[in-house]
Amino acid sequence: MAQNKVLAGDYEGKNIMIGQQGFFSKEEVFLFTGFTKKFPLNKETVDSYELITEEHRKSAVSGVARGLVGGALLGPVGLLAGLSAKNKGTHTLAIEFKDGKKSLIEINEKIYKVFMQKMF
């Protein structure tokens, strides 16, 4: 089951949820930085993102490859996150924000779909 939070990097431990900005607005994905502070994850705030994928059959080679991708993006913490196993319906994304901050997030299928719509 997805944690729906930032696993590593900037904003580590902060929650990610779906919500609405205004009464009549559509669903958006928000990163909560404080009790009442949040900002949307969309093309205005996210500079780039990369889906960290895994193969159906786990192998030492694919684990090392994921670890190298994580290590390149987020250093040693990303290396550990890249080596960990993932569940079906769980998506791990490396995100770089427009302000230069970087985060490794884990989200469920519903949040992933809304995120992808907002990034298109």
Side-chain angles (χ1 to χ4, degrees):
M1 177 175 259
Q3 295 183 38
N4 296 330
K5 64 174 34 178
V6 179
L7 299 177
D10 296 302
Y11 309 111
E12 184 174 354
K14 300 299 182 185
N15 292 323
I16 298 169
M17 300 173 149
I18 294 176
Q20 293 178 312
Q21 188 78 333
F23 186 70
F24 293 107
S25 63
K26 295 182 179 181
E27 285 185 323
E28 292 223 32
V29 177
F30 290 97
L31 190 147
F32 285 78
T33 58
F35 185 68
T36 58
K37 295 181 180 181
K38 64 183 179 183
F39 67 89
L41 298 181
N42 57 34
K43 56 187 171 190
E44 282 79 39
T45 61
V46 175
D47 188 43
S48 63
Y49 64 93
E50 181 176 349
L51 179 63
I52 308 298
T53 61
E54 71 172 308
E55 305 300 323
H56 291 288
R57 288 189 289 159
K58 299 199 184 327
S59 69
V61 174
S62 68
V64 170
R66 285 192 313 275
L68 290 174
V69 169
L73 292 172
L74 297 167
V77 176
L79 181 65
L80 292 175
L83 290 171
S84 67
K86 296 294 160 213
N87 299 323
K88 187 175 182 179
T90 299
H91 301 279
T92 303
L93 296 167
I95 295 178
E96 184 168 351
F97 297 96
K98 294 211 175 187
D99 64 4
K101 294 182 178 182
K102 298 176 184 177
S103 295
L104 182 71
I105 67 169
E106 181 181 272
I107 53 178
N108 64 24
E109 185 71 22
K110 183 176 180 182
I111 293 175
Y112 178 72
K113 285 180 180 180
V114 174
F115 175 79
M116 293 307 292
Q117 289 172 350
K118 296 300 176 182
M119 293 305 296
F120 186 67

